[in-house]
Amino acid sequence: MKNLNLRSSNFINYIFGKYVSREEQLALDLEGKEREIEGDWQKYIMNYGNLHEKHGIAEWVVWAEEMPNYILDKQKSFSVPNWLDLDQEETISLSSTPDGIKSDFSCILEVKCSMGGKSCYKDLPKDKLPQIYGQQMVLNSWLESQKNKERVEKTHLINWTPNHTKIWECKRNEEFENYLKKYLEIYSWALLNEKDDELKKPIEQFKGEIEKSISLIYEAKVCV
Amino acid sequence: MKFDKETKVFMETYDLDENLFWDCHGSPILLHRGWLKVANKLGIADYELTEIEFNSQAGICVIKCSATLDGITHTDYGESSPKNNTNAYIWAMAIKRAKDRVIREFTNVSGVVYSDADLVKGKDGKLQMADKVDAFERTTDEQVAEAIAEVKNIKNKKVIKDEKSKSKKQ
């Protein structure tokens, strides 16, 4: 059965074909299959991330001095049905399950335990941006659909390892969101039409400025 | 449902049919009436039940259960609390769990055949084996409190950049 839901954690593949080409991703979605995680190291990294997500949240709680919502076993999947607003039976939904959200919805929390806890990212990797800005986009569409006036303004990406933690703040960037939307729309139509012709065309680079929306706001390190 | 060799032998020994089991993610769960059938076949007639803890307001009940067969006594406990029970009858649930566990002790199939006394609700709300979901038996607040304590226990982690504190001071 066809997968007609696009998850923000996989936007990187729908838009850029980063870990699996866009054509291969489309073939998987048309068959309703998931890409399997290959290799022991990849599995270890995934398990490590699941195990230590709570520590990333905890470090944020200590720093921010407040408790976020929708964390750990209370995580929630936010879904925007029929995101292209189509008047037809078959439509595409977008969904996102952040690691936490500030109680006023102004800030999303996303925890990354990089390199299986061995070291932090030097800079915020650009391949995390489709997920970060995709989450903001999905959450804001969901809030709008719920007639909720609150809006997500930023994401705190918590890069947690036992010896070193960094928090980057990623402020909303509508220009980048529109860039993502353009390619998500192309992918959505490819899925609806079951044709990958448009996915074979090259992807334009983002021409706007994203760097000024991102800043390192917290860093703590074990000092020997 | 697939049964492994050990479970099949157990089923044959105690004359249990498939209808007395249900499948929890591949692990065979024998229903309470199945365990009672096993007890009947073994010849366990009496159980010594002792109340260890009972708090009706907190919804907690712990029962100790012992049974003797051919001079061998096995003892185990059954507990029900809001963390592992949504049933209103906490006494009955604790007794049922204690009995199932004691009967199982006589059969030597611990870790192979489970009782529904071994199930708890996992992270996704689905029933899972209790020994596989220890992290989710606690509430979210308890998990975060524990993680905060662990984070604070990491010695010598010094803050070297904090824009939030900086903006507070200004």
Side-chain angles (χ1 to χ4, degrees):
Chain A
M1 199 178 147
K2 227 195 260 190
N3 170 31
L4 295 168
N5 176 54
L6 307 184
R7 287 177 285 123
S8 58
S9 56
N10 213 19
F11 281 7
I12 185 84
N13 289 323
Y14 306 135
I15 298 168
F16 298 109
K18 168 83 179 176
Y19 300 106
V20 54
S21 76
R22 296 197 295 164
E23 294 95 313
E24 283 173 69
Q25 181 64 54
L26 181 74
L28 285 171
D29 281 337
L30 288 174
E31 288 179 44
K33 287 183 182 168
E34 291 269 339
R35 183 175 65 99
E36 282 184 26
I37 294 167
E38 288 167 359
D40 291 344
W41 175 241
Q42 285 303 320
K43 284 177 189 161
Y44 170 77
I45 284 183
M46 197 185 74
N47 289 335
Y48 187 89
N50 289 338
L51 191 65
H52 293 284
E53 183 181 310
K54 62 180 178 182
H55 293 118
I57 297 285
E59 190 128 358
W60 188 89
V61 170
V62 171
W63 169 72
E65 297 167 4
E66 64 174 282
M67 188 62 77
N69 289 338
Y70 307 113
I71 57 171
L72 306 177
D73 53 343
K74 287 187 181 154
Q75 266 185 280
K76 179 176 169 169
S77 174
F78 296 88
S79 178
V80 178
N82 190 13
W83 86 282
L84 294 173
D85 200 18
L86 302 175
D87 187 16
Q88 60 185 53
E89 202 175 312
E90 205 170 47
T91 60
I92 306 277
S93 62
L94 301 181
S95 70
S96 183
T97 311
D99 292 333
I101 305 174
K102 258 183 87 158
S103 54
D104 62 359
F105 278 99
S106 66
C107 181
I108 290 174
L109 309 186
E110 185 59 36
V111 180
K112 299 286 178 201
C113 300
S114 51
M115 294 299 290
K118 286 185 169 47
S119 61
C120 267
Y121 303 124
K122 187 170 177 283
D123 297 305
L124 178 63
K126 296 286 182 288
D127 62 10
K128 307 295 175 209
L129 298 181
Q131 182 186 10
I132 292 168
Y133 285 95
Q135 284 178 337
Q136 294 182 3
M137 194 177 96
V138 172
L139 255 289
N140 281 331
S141 298
W142 181 84
L143 286 166
E144 202 176 335
S145 71
Q146 302 297 305
K147 311 267 187 271
N148 186 326
K149 286 183 180 163
E150 290 163 321
R151 290 291 178 270
V152 174
E153 293 158 10
K154 61 197 173 193
T155 295
H156 282 167
L157 185 126
I158 306 148
N159 181 196
W160 191 89
T161 69
N163 295 335
H164 195 177
T165 298
K166 290 180 178 181
I167 300 176
W168 277 280
E169 185 166 273
C170 307
K171 288 190 179 138
R172 267 195 86 182
N173 184 317
E174 287 189 48
E175 207 182 348
F176 190 69
E177 271 183 36
N178 290 333
Y179 170 75
L180 296 180
K181 275 182 194 167
K182 177 184 162 184
Y183 287 101
L184 272 182
E185 192 169 335
I186 290 172
Y187 188 86
S188 298
W189 278 112
L191 194 53
L192 288 168
N193 296 330
E194 300 184 15
K195 283 181 183 172
D196 64 4
D197 306 6
E198 288 297 315
L199 303 182
K200 287 177 177 147
K201 292 179 182 172
I203 305 151
E204 276 181 39
Q205 269 210 319
F206 177 60
K207 293 193 178 79
E209 281 198 72
I210 191 71
E211 280 79 6
K212 67 178 180 186
S213 305
I214 301 167
S215 55
L216 179 68
I217 54 168
Y218 173 81
E219 185 172 9
K221 204 174 183 178
V222 168
C223 303
V224 186
Chain B
M1 193 186 340
K2 281 183 183 172
F3 297 100
D4 61 16
K5 270 186 192 171
E6 222 170 330
T7 309
K8 281 179 184 166
V9 170
F10 171 73
M11 290 166 75
E12 280 169 21
T13 308
Y14 296 102
D15 194 21
L16 304 168
D17 62 49
E18 285 191 24
N19 295 332
L20 289 168
F21 289 85
W22 64 278
D23 183 0
C24 181
H25 313 298
S27 298
I29 308 293
L30 182 59
L31 299 173
H32 182 58
R33 66 175 196 274
W35 286 111
L36 294 180
K37 195 173 176 184
V38 171
N40 200 28
K41 194 102 177 160
L42 281 166
I44 301 171
D46 291 321
Y47 302 90
E48 191 186 327
L49 299 169
T50 314
E51 180 192 299
I52 300 297
E53 188 181 350
F54 180 62
N55 182 335
S56 63
Q57 270 200 322
I60 295 169
C61 183
V62 181
I63 298 289
K64 181 182 170 186
C65 176
S66 298
T68 303
L69 190 67
D70 299 331
I72 298 168
T73 302
H74 281 297
T75 299
D76 214 319
Y77 296 82
E79 69 289 89
S80 58
S81 79
K83 285 183 184 175
N84 60 32
N85 180 42
T86 51
N87 190 321
Y89 307 103
I90 55 171
W91 258 86
M93 186 55 74
I95 290 171
K96 181 185 137 180
R97 286 172 171 169
K99 279 186 177 178
D100 282 6
R101 286 171 180 159
V102 165
I103 298 165
R104 189 172 51 189
E105 286 294 308
F106 284 101
T107 61
N108 237 347
V109 288
S110 294
V112 180
V113 179
Y114 293 86
S115 148
D116 47 7
D118 300 310
L119 301 176
V120 291
K121 274 188 181 170
K123 189 178 184 181
D124 53 5
K126 290 178 188 163
L127 285 170
Q128 295 187 48
M129 309 309 299
D131 56 359
K132 293 178 186 167
V133 291
D134 57 337
F136 305 125
E137 285 182 70
R138 283 161 285 152
T139 65
T140 312
D141 288 346
E142 284 168 341
Q143 288 179 62
V144 174
E146 185 187 65
I148 287 172
E150 286 166 356
V151 161
K152 283 182 174 172
N153 267 339
I154 298 173
K155 301 266 188 298
N156 305 322
K157 203 168 185 179
K158 303 273 186 278
V159 174
I160 52 179
K161 184 185 177 95
D162 188 354
E163 294 294 325
K164 181 172 150 272
S165 302
K166 211 191 280 179
S167 60
K168 262 186 186 172
K169 282 175 197 163
Q170 281 167 358

